[in-house]
Amino acid sequence: MGTILLLSRTFPPPDGGAQRRYANLCRFFPPGSIEVCTSRREGAAAFDRGQAYPIHRMPVDPNAERKPMGFLRWTAWALGRLRRGDVGVVWVGDLHSTGRMAWLLERLTGVPYGPSFYGELIRPEKRLWMRRLAPRVFDRASFFLANSAHIGERARDYAARIGARPPGPRLRVIRSGADVERFNPRRGRAAARAAFGLDDGPLILTVARLIPQKGVDDALRAFALLSGEHPDARYAIAGSGPLEAELRELAERLGIGARVLFLGQVPYERMPELYAAADIHLLASRPIPLWNENFPNACLEAMASGIPVVAGAVGGVPEMVADGVSGLLVNPRDPIAIAAALRGLLDDPQLRAAMGAAGRARVERELNHERAAREIYAVFAACSRVPLPAWGPR
């Protein structure tokens, strides 16, 4: 039987959204069907020991594979691995650096390859030789995996921009999912609140990096507009980033500092109980030049946990959150509109429950890791030059 080789700089640790997607997909593939080749990271040994598939850590620091020596060392290892003859397909985590590796490997060995597109910027290459190589890398790919229709459109635009042939049927939109076992509405709210030292008042939660495009500043302004009507409500922000000090200062200026909890980077293992403690998940992401929200893990995990979502109607979010059914979509640059959506949910516990249940039902039905892994594996099996293990229950 053959195997899949994932070449990706993006893999845990750290435990970001794209990293978790890859790791969660890999654990659903049939035993013996996947190997991962990635860069070395602090804390990787402990993570790798807990996985049921081989993880090969290259002696290359993150992003060093873009430099000639790092690229050569990584490619040389992968070439040796492919020459054993059992790798049927190469799965690429980055169209640029690891995509170039896969293109070269395909020319040398004939093993087909294809990339995944998530929320990463499909960016123009800076160097002339990279720009000239980009359409060749794109053209020889056997498949493209987009985790939303939004990112699929960006892939088509990218092909046109670099002069590559359209992806056509090679492009498959297979939406990301959540871990329905880890994140579920069965967790006790009271115990979850106690674990984080929270009282019993309404809790709005944002899980996001503290960077401009996540719109936490306008979320704070929206929360401030509710302060008189819901004096017992709290707003918890889980995440870290360069804007933390600025956002803390803004909360104080708005007079809500005592009611806003900056939780910092919450470990992934504790995230299920944090969602269980919340009543609403808020993500006010907004577009900035060369970036737009794609298919955010935080909203998926909130839906899996059975809580409604208020989110910006941008990027791939409308593909995930059904407006008026599993949550409310708003203009993320309008704190008044965000506050109105939050107010409607805070004032109506039955509506919150109904939307939370609808979100959970959709995750169980279609937005889960097992469904995504099964559909992606079918793409690999169709392209592989050697038979892969049959799909079956874990």
Side-chain angles (χ1 to χ4, degrees), residues 12 18 40 50 60 65 69 72 107 117 120 127 137 147 162 174 179 186 188 233 235 253 270 320 349 367 391:
R40 62 185 178 188
V60 176
E65 78 287 343
M69 187 54 66
L72 288 173
R107 303 296 304 211
F117 297 127
E120 80 281 15
R127 295 180 176 86
V137 174
N147 77 322
I162 66 173
I174 300 175
D179 187 333
R186 297 186 299 275
Y235 180 29
R253 289 204 312 270
R270 298 199 65 193
M320 174 194 304
L367 297 179
W391 181 271

Side-chain angles (χ1 to χ4, degrees), residues 95-312:
L95 182 64
H96 296 279
S97 53
T98 49
R100 288 190 288 269
M101 286 182 207
W103 173 82
L104 180 57
L105 293 167
E106 190 267 346
R107 303 296 304 211
L108 295 172
T109 67
V111 177
Y113 69 92
S116 279
F117 297 127
Y118 289 115
E120 80 281 15
L121 172 66
I122 303 176
R123 63 188 183 276
E125 294 285 15
K126 295 180 179 178
R127 295 180 176 86
L128 179 61
W129 71 269
M130 291 180 177
R131 291 198 298 271
R132 289 180 173 174
L133 186 57
R136 301 184 186 184
V137 174
F138 198 95
D139 285 349
R140 292 194 69 88
S142 294
F143 61 87
F144 302 95
L145 301 174
N147 77 322
S148 72
H150 162 72
I151 205 70
E153 281 303 310
R154 290 184 62 184
R156 294 184 185 95
D157 292 344
Y158 173 79
R161 191 167 67 245
I162 66 173
R165 64 188 175 97
R170 294 179 296 159
L171 177 62
R172 292 289 306 278
V173 174
I174 300 175
R175 293 182 175 90
S176 295
D179 187 333
V180 295
E181 298 169 0
R182 181 185 294 271
F183 299 97
N184 65 74
R186 297 186 299 275
R187 292 178 179 272
R189 184 174 185 269
R193 292 271 177 128
F196 285 92
L198 299 168
D199 60 28
D200 198 42
L203 181 68
I204 299 165
L205 171 67
T206 288
V207 178
R209 289 186 63 206
L210 304 186
I211 52 180
Q213 56 264 46
K214 293 297 182 177
V216 179
D217 54 347
D218 281 334
L220 286 167
R221 294 182 181 99
F223 182 70
L225 294 174
L226 299 170
S227 58
E229 303 163 65
H230 292 277
D232 58 341
R234 299 289 182 270
Y235 180 29
I237 302 168
S240 59
L243 294 187
E244 181 171 346
E246 181 180 324
L247 292 170
R248 286 179 178 273
E249 182 181 341
L250 175 61
E252 294 296 335
R253 289 204 312 270
L254 293 170
I256 55 174
R259 298 169 57 193
V260 177
L261 309 173
F262 287 88
L263 302 178
Q265 196 68 40
V266 177
Y268 186 55
E269 293 73 21
R270 298 199 65 193
M271 288 305 301
E273 54 186 342
L274 181 57
Y275 286 113
D279 296 289
I280 302 168
H281 186 264
L282 170 61
L283 186 66
S285 294
R286 60 203 179 204
I288 63 172
L290 300 179
W291 186 90
N292 202 350
E293 190 66 80
N294 179 29
F295 213 69
N297 268 12
C299 292
L300 281 172
E301 292 166 355
M303 290 168 62
S305 302
I307 61 175
V309 173
V310 174

Side-chain angles (χ1 to χ4, degrees), residues 63-92:
N63 297 320
E65 78 287 343
R66 297 177 181 176
K67 300 177 181 178
M69 187 54 66
F71 181 88
L72 288 173
R73 294 177 73 180
W74 196 331
T75 306
W77 181 91
L79 179 60
R81 178 65 189 85
L82 264 60
R83 282 182 168 162
R84 286 165 49 183
D86 61 333
V87 174
V89 64
V90 173
W91 181 19
V92 176

